[in-house]
Amino acid sequence: MMMKLSAALAFAFVLLSLGGEEIRIHETSWSDRTPVLDGRIENDPAWGKIPWDPGGFFLHRKKLSPSNGTKFKSLYTADALYFAIQCSEKEMDKMLPVFNFGEFWKYDVLEFFFQTGRNELIHLAVNPDGMSSDQIPGSVATRTDFQIGWNCAASRGKDAWYAEVCIPFFLLGKAPGKQALELPFNLCRYSTPAKEYSTWSFQTGPFNNTACFGRLRCLPPPPEKVAEVTESLSRPHWSSLIRRYRDMKGDPAWRSVLKKFPAETAVLEKIYANPPDHSRKAALFGEILRRIENSVREADARDRIRIRKLLFDE
């Protein structure tokens, strides 16, 4: 049985009966506006006309509403899914700070789960301070050549905290095309003041119990955008490029290399320092990174040839 909602909604919340279990469906649609990832949702034009998912959250293993509600909305662009989340919190001053990053899950946190293959579960988490953690299967790391970047931001209000999350299609390995894309999906939360675990898709077991996942359904993009969306599966997302550059900046070996390219590094730094430019200038950023990395590879190849000649030709 399907519960029909108003067709005016940009996405639908649907309950389907499947083997006696209810499966939630969250529909998301193409947007020609990219959100600014700063954790501030209210005044961002990209989110203005996107409605909140009409379904609430359940207490974990209990079909009851939590005392601290959570709501979310989503959209997608040519290369990524975006989520905006509002986490109501009655006791903002009692949220626990993260003392042990190794136990990230024990603090206030949002957790995203996507089943992108039969034995492939992507698990992403973000907290009220914009800190993030993830569990990425080895098959995903191999498929993406370890370009597994994604991005998030968060902010705090008087009685709620907010998060924005960008999840590349390149990371998921799937994108909507002429047909809708449907993925097993769940979004969960922990509130430390209330000691409450809550979940969008009702869970009878642990949060990563895929048997109880709902579905994320990405409706087809406009026909003229299908090729652009599909092409995003063939190149690393800007979030991976930003992560790569951040790692290079922190690596002494790469720092010395970057000093040899002052003009290029200055451009990278300017883009890196201005988050709104991360997506707008991704092509330029990626081209400069490739130029620097290729120069290192070519130098390494020349060194290997020189050393072989010294060892075997003299």
Side-chain angles (χ1 to χ4, degrees):
M1 180 179 69
M2 180 179 292
M3 297 175 63
K4 296 182 179 179
L5 297 175
S6 170
L9 291 176
F11 57 74
F13 165 70
V14 185
L15 291 178
L16 296 178
S17 177
L18 181 63
E21 294 294 330
E22 292 178 340
I23 296 180
R24 277 186 160 174
I25 295 180
H26 174 77
E27 286 190 353
T28 187
S29 300
W30 160 271
S31 173
D32 57 4
R33 287 184 168 179
T34 300
V36 175
L37 284 178
D38 57 7
R40 295 173 175 83
I41 301 166
E42 185 175 352
N43 296 320
D44 190 329
W47 293 119
K49 294 184 179 180
I50 307 296
W52 297 101
D53 184 285
F57 274 47
F58 298 107
L59 284 174
H60 188 210
R61 294 176 173 157
K62 299 176 183 178
K63 288 198 172 179
L64 300 172
S65 298
S67 61
N68 288 315
T70 306
K71 61 182 182 179
F72 70 100
K73 59 175 74 176
S74 68
L75 58 82
Y76 75 85
T77 63
D79 57 9
L81 278 164
Y82 287 83
F83 288 86
I85 310 97
Q86 176 180 308
C87 302
S88 298
E89 179 54 68
K90 297 176 181 177
E91 299 177 289
M92 290 289 293
D93 59 330
K94 294 184 179 179
M95 292 196 304
L96 296 178
V98 177
F99 292 112
N100 182 357
F101 192 78
E103 296 182 328
F104 192 78
W105 328 106
K106 293 185 177 181
Y107 303 90
D108 291 88
V109 70
L110 284 166
E111 300 181 53
F112 288 82
F113 296 88
F114 300 90
Q115 188 176 23
T116 51
R118 186 173 181 180
N119 297 306
E120 192 173 277
L121 182 63
I122 294 174
H123 179 192
L124 313 175
V126 58
N127 80 354
D129 298 315
M131 297 169 65
S132 63
S133 182
D134 55 48
Q135 293 178 320
I136 307 293
S139 58
V140 176
T142 300
R143 167 171 54 77
T144 61
D145 193 25
F146 295 91
Q147 300 291 331
I148 55 173
W150 59 287
N151 208 4
C152 64
S155 67
R156 298 184 186 224
K158 182 179 179 181
D159 55 6
W161 62 276
Y162 306 86
E164 291 180 290
V165 179
C166 168
I167 304 167
F169 291 129
F170 185 76
L171 175 61
L172 298 175
K174 301 176 185 295
K178 294 181 180 180
Q179 304 296 324
L181 169 68
E182 192 165 294
L183 289 175
F185 156 78
N186 200 14
L187 174 58
C188 308
R189 177 188 171 194
Y190 180 50
S191 164
T192 59
K195 294 183 173 59
E196 276 184 344
Y197 289 96
S198 56
T199 170
W200 171 72
S201 181
F202 179 69
Q203 282 286 12
T204 57
F207 279 168
N208 62 358
N209 174 25
T210 59
C212 291
F213 279 10
R215 299 292 184 270
L216 174 70
R217 180 181 292 160
C218 300
L219 299 178
E224 68 275 14
K225 296 294 182 179
V226 169
E228 187 178 359
V229 174
T230 301
E231 200 250 335
S232 71
L233 295 173
S234 64
R235 66 179 187 277
H237 187 259
W238 61 262
S239 55
S240 287
L241 300 175
I242 292 295
R243 178 182 288 194
R244 173 63 175 153
Y245 180 61
R246 184 172 64 240
D247 291 344
M248 290 166 69
K249 284 162 55 77
D251 186 327
W254 276 105
R255 280 204 300 265
S256 62
V257 171
L258 293 174
K259 287 181 180 179
K260 297 177 182 178
F261 297 87
E264 290 85 350
T265 301
V267 175
L268 293 177
E269 273 297 308
K270 187 175 181 180
I271 296 173
Y272 181 79
N274 186 31
D277 281 344
H278 292 176
S279 59
R280 290 197 295 258
K281 299 185 178 180
L284 173 62
F285 197 89
E287 175 57 33
I288 294 174
L289 270 186
R290 283 190 293 273
R291 197 183 311 160
I292 293 173
E293 291 183 308
N294 286 341
S295 72
V296 172
R297 294 189 186 99
E298 291 167 1
D300 287 345
R302 289 194 297 270
D303 284 343
R304 285 194 294 271
I305 292 172
R306 180 177 58 82
I307 291 170
R308 283 199 299 269
K309 286 184 176 180
L310 286 173
L311 291 174
F312 302 111
D313 295 350
E314 297 181 6

